[in-house]
Amino acid sequence: MYGKAFAPEYRGALGELSVNSSLEEVLEKALEQRDRAERDGNALESAHAGLAVAEASRRLGRVTEAEDAWRESYRAARRAGDQGAMAWAVWSGGTLARQRGALALARRLLALAAELAERGGDIVARGYSLAGLAETGRIQGDYQAVGELHEKLLAEARRRGEARHTVWALEGIAQMHRNTGSYDTALAMFEESAVIAERADDARGHAWALRGIADVVSLRGETERALELLSRAERTCREMRLASALAYNHKMRGNVLFRAGRYEEARDCYGGALEEFRAMGEPRGEALARLGLVKSRARLGRDGAETAAELDELSRTLGGFGLQHAREMVDKARAELGLVAADARTAA
C-alpha cells in the first residue's frame, strides 16, 4: 500500500507544505522563512528555505532565480556543516541543469549530490539523486545504462510504499518502452502510475502520467481521447503553475494533432510551446518544439531546402545536448519528408 505523496524537498520549518501546494505560495513562504533564518543566524534553516526557493523558482520557469537560490542553499548548508542539506541543494542544481539541457553538468552535480547524501546518511536525498542520474541518462537515450537503475529504484520505492517515487520510476520506464516501440507495456505502466498518483494525491505525477497515456493512445489513432487527457493534465499544470510541465503538455498536443494530420493546429501548438520554452530558458524543450514546428510547416508546403537546412541545424543542436533519441527523431523526420542530411548531400 502507498501512503500520501510527500515533498521531502520542503524541509525544516517548511516541512508541512504539501506536494500540491501552489508554487507561488511555496515561493512566498520560503522567501519569508529564508529572511527570518538569516536574521536569526540559523544557517540550516536558511539552507532548507533556500532549497524550497530554488525548487519553486525552477518549476515556475524562473531559472536565474533558481540558480542563485540553490547555490545560496548550498553555502548555508556548508556553514551549518550538514552534508544532507548540502546534498539536497546540489540535487536541485543538478535537476535545474538537466532542465536547461546541460546534461553533462547535471550528471556531475547529481553524482556529487548522491555522494554527499551517502556521507550525510540522508537516504531520501540519495534516492532522489540517483533517480536524477537515471532520468538524465534516459533523456540522453542511454537506456541500457540506466534501465537497471530505474528498475532498482522502482523496487525500492514499492518496498517503502513511496508513491511519488514509484510514480516517477514507472513513468521513466514506461517512456523507455514507448521510445523502443513496446506500446502495450508503456501504456500499462503509464496507467498504473496514473492510478497510484491519483490515490496518493500527487497532482504533478498524475499530470505527467496523463501526458504519457495521451502519447501512447494517440499512436493508436485515438486522437480525441488523447486530447481530452491532455486537457485534464493542463488544468493541473495551470492550477499549480507548472511552467515546464505545461510547455511539454502543449508540445505533446502538437504531436497528437500532427499524427492526426491536423497540421495547422499542430503548427500553432508547437509555436506556442516554443515560446514557452524560450521564456523559461529550456533549450531541450525548445529544440523539440522546433522539430515539430519544422515538420508541420513542411506538411503545409514549406520549401524543402529550407526545411532540410533547419533539420540539419536541429540535428547539431540536439547532438550538442547528447540526446540520442532526439537525433533519431530528426533522422526519422527527414525520412518522412523525403529529405537527406547535409553530409549525405555533400557526399553526393
Side-chain angles (χ1 to χ4, degrees):
M1 288 294 294
Y2 297 98
K4 288 292 184 182
F6 67 101
E9 67 268 34
Y10 303 149
R11 307 173 66 75
L14 299 171
E16 296 303 313
L17 286 170
S18 162
V19 67
N20 298 325
S21 295
S22 158
L23 293 176
E24 294 286 6
E25 175 194 357
V26 172
L27 186 58
E28 181 181 358
K29 289 186 175 181
L31 287 168
E32 290 175 354
Q33 176 59 21
R34 189 173 66 179
D35 289 344
R36 187 178 304 115
E38 288 174 355
R39 285 196 304 271
D40 294 344
N42 189 330
L44 185 56
E45 274 300 323
S46 181
H48 293 331
L51 173 66
V53 171
E55 283 301 286
S57 298
R58 179 181 67 80
R59 291 166 179 159
L60 286 165
R62 302 172 187 173
V63 294
T64 301
E65 292 89 336
E67 180 76 27
D68 292 341
W70 83 257
R71 291 182 181 279
E72 289 177 15
S73 175
Y74 176 80
R75 287 192 289 267
R78 189 170 58 187
R79 288 197 304 273
D82 190 305
Q83 291 190 321
M86 290 164 66
W88 277 108
V90 178
W91 164 80
S92 180
T95 306
L96 176 64
R98 184 177 65 241
Q99 180 174 312
R100 300 181 75 174
L103 301 183
L105 175 61
R107 293 181 80 121
R108 289 198 300 273
L109 289 174
L110 290 165
L112 174 59
E115 180 184 333
L116 287 166
E118 187 164 11
R119 291 207 304 256
D122 193 318
I123 297 173
V124 178
R126 184 174 182 274
Y128 269 62
S129 301
L130 291 175
L133 280 169
E135 185 166 351
T136 304
R138 176 177 58 78
I139 288 170
Q140 290 180 298
D142 194 2
Y143 299 158
Q144 185 175 357
V146 301
E148 185 177 339
L149 180 55
H150 269 81
E151 294 285 359
K152 178 183 177 182
L153 292 169
L154 173 60
E156 290 179 359
R158 287 192 192 279
R159 186 170 60 252
R160 292 198 295 264
E162 292 179 0
R164 192 177 176 204
H165 247 211
T166 299
V167 167
W168 166 85
L170 278 169
E171 290 174 358
I173 297 167
Q175 190 65 46
M176 287 188 279
H177 282 298
R178 178 259 181 260
N179 289 347
T180 53
S182 301
Y183 298 144
D184 289 346
T185 303
L187 181 59
M189 297 187 84
F190 278 130
E191 288 177 337
E192 183 185 357
S193 67
V195 170
I196 294 172
E198 189 167 32
R199 288 176 178 171
D201 195 26
D202 177 6
R204 185 185 300 112
H206 189 248
W208 280 106
L210 293 180
R211 175 181 171 272
I213 295 170
D215 184 22
V216 179
V217 300
S218 80
L219 290 166
R220 296 177 166 183
E222 299 178 46
T223 302
E224 294 309 317
R225 182 186 173 199
L227 293 174
E228 190 276 330
L229 288 166
L230 289 171
S231 293
R232 287 174 58 193
E234 179 168 345
R235 286 193 289 273
T236 297
C237 293
R238 291 192 181 281
E239 288 168 4
M240 295 183 67
R241 299 289 301 278
L242 300 172
S244 181
L246 183 61
Y248 276 103
N249 182 291
H250 290 157
K251 186 192 75 68
M252 181 57 69
R253 182 174 289 272
N255 291 356
V256 170
L257 293 166
F258 183 89
R259 291 167 190 157
R262 294 159 61 173
Y263 301 126
E264 290 188 1
E265 294 173 83
R267 177 196 60 196
D268 293 343
C269 280
Y270 286 130
L274 178 59
E275 293 306 314
E276 291 174 296
F277 285 125
R278 281 177 173 165
M280 70 183 77
E282 192 161 331
R284 181 173 66 92
E286 181 181 336
L288 293 174
R290 278 184 64 200
L291 176 59
L293 193 56
V294 170
K295 291 168 58 179
S296 299
R297 287 172 173 167
R299 292 300 189 192
L300 291 169
R302 187 186 186 196
D303 177 74
E306 293 179 359
T307 299
E310 190 161 3
L311 286 174
D312 291 341
E313 181 192 346
L314 273 171
S315 183
R316 291 190 295 271
T317 298
L318 292 166
F321 295 147
L323 301 177
Q324 177 182 329
H325 175 65
R327 291 194 70 182
E328 291 170 357
M329 290 168 59
V330 175
D331 292 338
K332 183 179 177 183
R334 287 196 188 102
E336 289 174 358
L337 300 171
L339 303 168
V340 295
D343 52 359
R345 294 197 298 273
T346 301

